[in-house]
Amino acid sequence: MMIREMSKKTLISFGVLFVLVIWSAFSLDYSGLSTFSLSMGMDVLRGLAQPDWGFLYDGSGEDLVSLLLLTIGIACLGTMIATVLAIPLTLLSAVNLWKAHPLVTKIGKFVCNVLRAFPELVFAIIFVKVVGPGPFAGVMAIGVHQIGMLGKLFTEEMEAMDERLTEEMEAVGANFWQTIFFVRVPYLMPIYSSLALNHFEIAVRSAATLGLVGAGGIGAPLIFAIQTRSWSKVSIILIGVVVTVFILDQITGIIRKKLR
């Protein structure tokens, strides 16, 4: 009987998924395909196959290496700000810390939801208008967005931890803050560090696009190269971004293994 019920639920799920896929396919506007040109596509591929190695480094500060380092700096500072500010927000959002005051946790989680509801690009547009174009706008955009993202993840880990550890400390007379600093922080710090490193990788990818709206990084020369159809420059920028992300992934992966 249970197997039949499970098979029914599975069939219904696949049926709903199939309907969604069909609806999505037929609701899209395919009129843009009328302008597709095979020769133009081949021209793009030929340009991408010939990277402009002269843009790699020329000491001007506007070369690929310099802009990639700036992009990493934006991502690193933004993630650091978010990590620090997400911790007090976590202390407000965790249900197991405010059992007698559930309204406090709802407010904390609402703030997290608001901050992570908008992508970094939207925040970047806002901060470019507020503080002016440049890397600082990118740092603020990544920082504000990731406060919400990390706050949510930190809260989930705080709520999922083994409460017996804190109960044992409370049994010998520990107060709220003593359980925070001597039980919860040591227990959760490796997990929080791993989450922060993972979001640093995500921030590098995001920072690579924030230059599109004037928030510094490699995004500005990338969009300019695409608009002017300088495919050889687009190619070397994409290669630089891929290599950077790969190297950072390897480094942060090693650090995360050490934290376990």
Side-chain angles (χ1 to χ4, degrees):
M1 190 70 179
M2 287 182 64
I3 296 173
R4 286 182 180 178
E5 288 181 3
M6 287 179 64
S7 61
K8 275 185 179 180
K9 290 179 180 178
T10 304
L11 286 173
I12 291 171
S13 299
F14 276 112
V16 171
L17 180 62
F18 180 75
V19 170
L20 286 173
V21 171
I22 296 299
W23 176 79
S24 301
F26 282 98
S27 63
L28 292 176
D29 181 11
Y30 296 98
S31 60
L33 292 175
S34 60
T35 60
F36 175 74
S37 170
L38 183 60
S39 61
M40 186 180 295
M42 293 304 296
D43 288 340
V44 172
L45 291 176
R46 279 192 290 269
L48 292 174
Q50 299 174 347
D52 180 10
W53 296 106
F55 183 64
L56 185 63
Y57 182 77
D58 57 15
S60 65
E62 297 295 326
D63 51 76
L64 180 63
V65 172
S66 301
L67 292 173
L68 283 174
L69 289 175
L70 177 61
T71 301
I72 294 171
I74 292 170
C76 182
L77 187 55
T79 305
M80 285 291 294
I81 291 171
T83 303
V84 172
L85 295 182
I87 292 174
L89 191 57
T90 300
L91 297 179
L92 288 175
S93 304
V95 173
N96 50 345
L97 300 183
W98 298 91
K99 293 177 183 177
H101 305 282
L103 180 62
V104 175
T105 63
K106 289 180 180 178
I107 293 172
K109 289 181 177 179
F110 176 75
V111 173
C112 287
N113 290 335
V114 170
L115 293 178
R116 66 191 179 87
F118 304 98
E120 290 97 336
L121 205 59
V122 173
F123 282 120
I125 294 170
I126 294 171
F127 282 114
V128 164
K129 297 296 183 183
V130 174
V131 301
F136 183 64
V139 170
M140 294 299 294
I142 288 174
V144 171
H145 174 75
Q146 291 210 2
I147 290 171
M149 294 297 294
L150 289 173
K152 177 181 182 296
L153 295 173
F154 287 1
T155 299
E156 289 176 350
E157 293 295 338
M158 179 76 78
E159 292 175 343
M161 74 170 290
D162 189 355
E163 288 299 312
R164 289 177 298 180
L165 300 172
T166 58
E167 289 170 0
E168 290 171 0
M169 284 288 290
E170 289 170 351
V172 296
N175 60 31
F176 175 81
W177 290 110
Q178 286 172 328
T179 59
I180 289 288
F181 287 109
F182 294 104
V183 180
R184 296 188 187 276
V185 170
Y187 180 85
L188 292 170
M189 191 55 65
I191 302 172
Y192 284 3
S193 300
S194 180
L195 290 171
L197 285 169
N198 183 60
H199 275 70
F200 168 61
E201 295 176 34
I202 297 171
V204 172
R205 299 181 183 94
S206 301
T209 61
L210 296 184
L212 303 177
V213 294
I218 197 66
L222 176 60
I223 191 62
F224 182 75
I226 292 173
Q227 289 173 343
T228 58
R229 299 185 180 181
S230 301
W231 302 117
S232 58
K233 184 173 285 188
V234 172
S235 177
I236 190 64
I237 292 173
L238 293 179
I239 290 171
V241 171
V242 170
V243 170
T244 301
V245 170
F246 175 78
I247 293 172
L248 289 175
D249 178 65
Q250 296 300 309
I251 294 172
T252 55
I254 294 170
I255 296 173
R256 282 198 297 269
K257 285 181 182 178
K258 298 289 186 182
L259 291 171
R260 290 175 185 172

